[in-house]
């Protein structure tokens, strides 16, 4: 009986050692795959270009349809549409972009163009997404959107960022996410989440503190906004709630 028990113990130890060796092999394979994934993502970003300018055509309003002084046409080219032609009575004007999204494009379509860049933040890349256009051109809809399937770039970027953070944490990495929410107004930077001034009327629109923020460039190449509150974020839901609060400021 003692010999049988010793043999069983020896077999269990051997099985445990084999499983541990298998786990180490799988962990090494996972680390190798993660390095390859980062390299492929960087290669994709390099191929697309460090700076990309895309255009999005907003659907016309009923008043614009009735007026219709100009017509927009698009010409396909390569990876999606890259040319936009503005045609009018006096002739047409052609414009070239890295990508053109037509009036039927959704916010999901637009974010698909940015997804890899957003995820590369966790790899150490610095990424900026800026929306530019005249009042009423659709910047807010593109960046903030609505709920569910109509979520904008900001909400989708936060979700993609935390998905990537979860991935690297499972690989044994430690990762912290913080956020600052600021606005540029009359060439001044202001903190959208600054505490209300003392004496503000309860329930009223409390003015933000007049403190002007400054942009600082460190010797290590990092750029920071001095004076703006830094908010630690643990989940995509918490990040979305904070972004929504900033949007209401």
């Amino acid at each position: 009986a003692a010999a049988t028990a010793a043999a069983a113990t020896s077999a269990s130890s051997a099985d445990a050692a084999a499983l541990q060796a298998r786990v180490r092999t799988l962990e090494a394979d996972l680390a190798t795959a993660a390095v390859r994934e980062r390299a492929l993502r960087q290669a994709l970003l390099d191929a697309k270009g460090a700076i990309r300018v895309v255009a999005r055509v907003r659907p016309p309003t009923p008043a614009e349809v009735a007026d219709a002084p100009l017509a927009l046409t698009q010409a396909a080219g390569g990876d999606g549409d890259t040319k936009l032609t503005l045609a009018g009575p006096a002739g047409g004007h052609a414009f070239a972009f890295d990508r053109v999204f037509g009036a039927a494009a959704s916010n999901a379509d637009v974010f698909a163009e940015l997804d890899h860049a957003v995820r590369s933040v966790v790899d150490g890349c610095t990424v900026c997404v800026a929306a530019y256009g005249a009042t009423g051109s659709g910047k807010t809809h593109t960046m903030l959107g609505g709920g569910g399937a109509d979520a904008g770039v900001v909400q989708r970027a936060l979700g993609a960022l935390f998905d990537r953070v979860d991935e690297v944490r499972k690989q044994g990495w430690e990762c912290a996410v913080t956020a600052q929410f600021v606005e540029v107004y009359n060439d001044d930077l202001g903190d959208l989440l600054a505490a209300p001034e003392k004496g503000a009327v309860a329930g009223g629109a409390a003015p933000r503190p007049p403190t002007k923020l400054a942009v600082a460039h460190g010797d290590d190449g990092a750029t920071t906004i001095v004076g703006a509150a830094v908010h630690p974020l643990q989940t995509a839901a918490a990040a979305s709630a904070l972004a929504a609060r900033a949007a209401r400021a």
Side-chain angles (χ1 to χ4, degrees):
T4 302
T9 301
S10 178
S12 297
S13 298
D15 290 342
L19 287 174
Q20 290 175 353
R22 178 59 176 162
V23 168
R24 288 193 294 271
T25 299
L26 291 175
E27 288 176 340
D29 291 344
L30 181 61
T32 300
V35 171
R36 177 173 172 77
E37 179 189 8
R38 286 195 297 272
L40 290 173
R41 182 162 43 246
Q42 188 59 52
L44 175 61
L45 294 175
D46 290 342
K48 284 178 171 288
I51 299 176
R52 291 176 59 76
V53 180
V54 304
R56 186 179 190 184
V57 179
R58 174 179 58 75
T61 65
E64 290 169 338
V65 171
D67 189 20
L70 298 172
L72 284 171
T73 59
Q74 289 173 235
D79 178 22
D81 295 336
T82 60
K83 294 181 180 179
L84 185 64
T85 301
L86 183 64
H93 299 277
F95 302 89
F97 297 90
D98 292 300
R99 180 74 185 269
V100 174
F101 293 95
S106 66
N107 281 344
D109 296 329
V110 174
F111 183 71
E113 183 73 15
L114 311 172
D115 191 17
H116 289 292
V118 170
R119 292 175 185 272
S120 72
V121 169
V122 183
D123 299 333
C125 296
T126 299
V127 177
C128 173
V129 179
Y132 178 83
T135 299
S137 60
K139 301 184 300 296
T140 300
H141 175 72
T142 297
M143 298 302 287
L144 300 181
D150 199 33
V153 167
V154 172
Q155 305 297 334
R156 294 176 187 275
L158 291 172
L161 177 62
F162 276 93
D163 284 346
R164 182 69 183 130
V165 166
D166 289 341
E167 291 174 3
V168 299
R169 282 174 175 167
K170 291 176 182 177
Q171 297 168 12
W173 292 89
E174 293 184 5
C175 193
V177 180
T178 60
Q180 292 175 302
F181 292 86
V182 300
E183 67 174 351
V184 181
Y185 185 74
N186 286 341
D187 293 330
D188 290 330
L189 280 173
D191 190 348
L192 288 172
L193 296 178
E197 289 182 318
K198 290 183 179 180
V201 178
R208 299 187 202 97
T211 304
K212 293 182 180 180
L213 308 177
V215 177
H217 304 287
D219 294 336
D220 59 353
T223 299
T224 57
I225 300 176
V226 181
V230 178
H231 302 268
L233 301 174
Q234 300 298 328
T235 65
S240 296
L242 200 62
R245 179 184 153 199
R248 294 192 299 269

